[in-house]
Amino acid sequence: MNYARRALSHAEFVERVARFQELYPGGTQNSGWRSPSWNTHVGSGSNSKHLLGSPLQPIAVDIDYFDEPDESQRLDMNHTARILGLFGLYHNGHMHLQGLPVGPPPAGWRP
């Protein structure tokens, strides 16, 4: 597949997260869409992509891995996310994946 780094629809996002989890099994999604109050409770910023979409159509997820990957594996996971067209970063003990670039959503974007 030819994955472009662009804002993704919810369907594209779900497909690519599923592919990522096929490549890196053993992770559990622990966070998707968040209400503003829950987002504040967990210490995330007001520009969090977890606030976009809806409970049934998140555009960002966090995946926890029971076995902490080493530095090389984390870099590989970050690179794979980019290859899949996701915006991802392994940090704070989990892999954060989002279907939108950093910053405000592009004009006209809809999940």
Side-chain angles (χ1 to χ4, degrees):
M1 291 185 133
N2 182 15
Y3 294 116
R5 296 241 357 207
R6 58 175 175 72
L8 302 175
S9 70
H10 173 71
E12 291 170 319
F13 176 69
V14 168
E15 173 215 344
R16 293 172 194 199
V17 168
R19 180 67 181 131
F20 184 89
Q21 289 190 280
E22 288 173 3
L23 295 169
Y24 299 97
T28 301
Q29 287 187 30
N30 73 353
S31 185
W33 178 84
R34 297 179 188 150
S35 69
S37 61
W38 186 252
N39 196 61
T40 299
H41 175 77
V42 299
S44 192
S46 61
N47 62 347
S48 172
K49 297 301 185 264
H50 288 281
L51 296 168
L52 301 176
S54 70
L56 297 178
Q57 293 186 320
I59 199 66
V61 296
D62 293 335
I63 303 171
D64 285 339
Y65 286 88
F66 180 72
D67 296 320
E68 180 73 20
D70 64 28
E71 181 66 21
S72 175
Q73 291 170 314
R74 290 191 298 269
L75 291 173
D76 187 55
M77 293 166 87
N78 292 341
H79 180 71
T80 299
R82 288 174 184 85
I83 290 171
L84 291 173
L86 294 162
F87 299 83
L89 178 64
Y90 193 97
H91 68 111
N92 298 331
H94 67 271
M95 185 69 192
H96 173 81
L97 298 171
Q98 63 188 49
L100 292 173
V102 173
W109 175 84
R110 298 285 178 265

